[in-house]
Amino acid sequence: MAVRPVLTLGNPLLRRVARDLDPAELDTPAIRRLAEDMVDTMHHEDGIGIAAPQVGESLQLAVIEIASSSPRYPGHESFALHYFVNPRITVLDPVEQGFWEGCLSVPNLRGYVERPRRIRVDYLDLDAHPRTVEAEGFLATVLQHELDHLQGKLFVDRVRDTTRLATLEDYVRFWLPKPG
């Protein structure tokens, strides 16, 4: 139950494929504390997801929670807090959709990323129960973004057109859709 430092672009740990967790590890105090710390860190940073490598642990664990009042991504459908252990993505619809993405590990930068619009994620929850989530739209993008961290990938690796990279200030100024 602590806020951990978030590793940033350039730290080699962010580029490693994280190791799978043995289901027996999930009930250990260390993993439970890590999961709680990840949630605390995500909330502290106003994020909607965080992966264990971002807080210095090269493990297949990610946390996602989208509040409808998210200051970083307002106006998107909420998604209750989920813990994803050893997740595997299956693309259900390869047609791509694009969103401007940001990342706690790449501060002050946004980039336009296109990803498959509909996916399924098979994973274990923190109690080692197998679970499945099917997602489309923004949630599918969020899941793919966070789970990329477990494979040593960052959103900047997925930006195809580098003219669609912007500082946060310039994203708000030039790219953020204006209301009305």
Side-chain angles (χ1 to χ4, degrees), residues 160-178:
R160 293 184 192 139
D161 177 359
T162 56
T163 66
R164 296 191 90 184
L165 277 170
T167 63
L168 181 56
E169 181 182 335
D170 282 343
Y171 163 73
V172 169
R173 188 176 187 195
F174 298 114
W175 296 98
L176 183 68
K178 308 295 185 248

Side-chain angles (χ1 to χ4, degrees), residues 27-86:
D27 200 29
T28 64
I31 296 300
R32 293 296 174 150
R33 188 171 37 259
L34 170 63
E36 290 176 10
D37 290 354
M38 289 171 63
V39 172
D40 289 346
T41 303
M42 176 181 68
H43 289 160
H44 177 78
E45 299 290 338
D46 289 329
I48 59 175
I50 196 163
Q54 292 179 273
V55 294
E57 301 289 342
S58 190
L59 301 170
Q60 291 277 328
L61 172 62
V63 176
I64 296 173
E65 178 183 38
I66 304 172
S68 56
S69 61
S70 167
R72 288 171 60 100
Y73 297 96
H76 290 285
E77 190 172 326
S78 62
F79 183 72
L81 179 64
H82 280 66
Y83 298 89
F84 293 87
V85 177
N86 303 339

Side-chain angles (χ1 to χ4, degrees), residues 13-19 53 58-60 149-152:
L13 191 134
L14 292 173
R15 296 313 195 152
R16 286 189 208 147
V17 175
R19 80 164 174 85
S58 190
L59 301 170
Q60 291 277 328
H149 283 293
L150 306 179
Q151 302 304 317

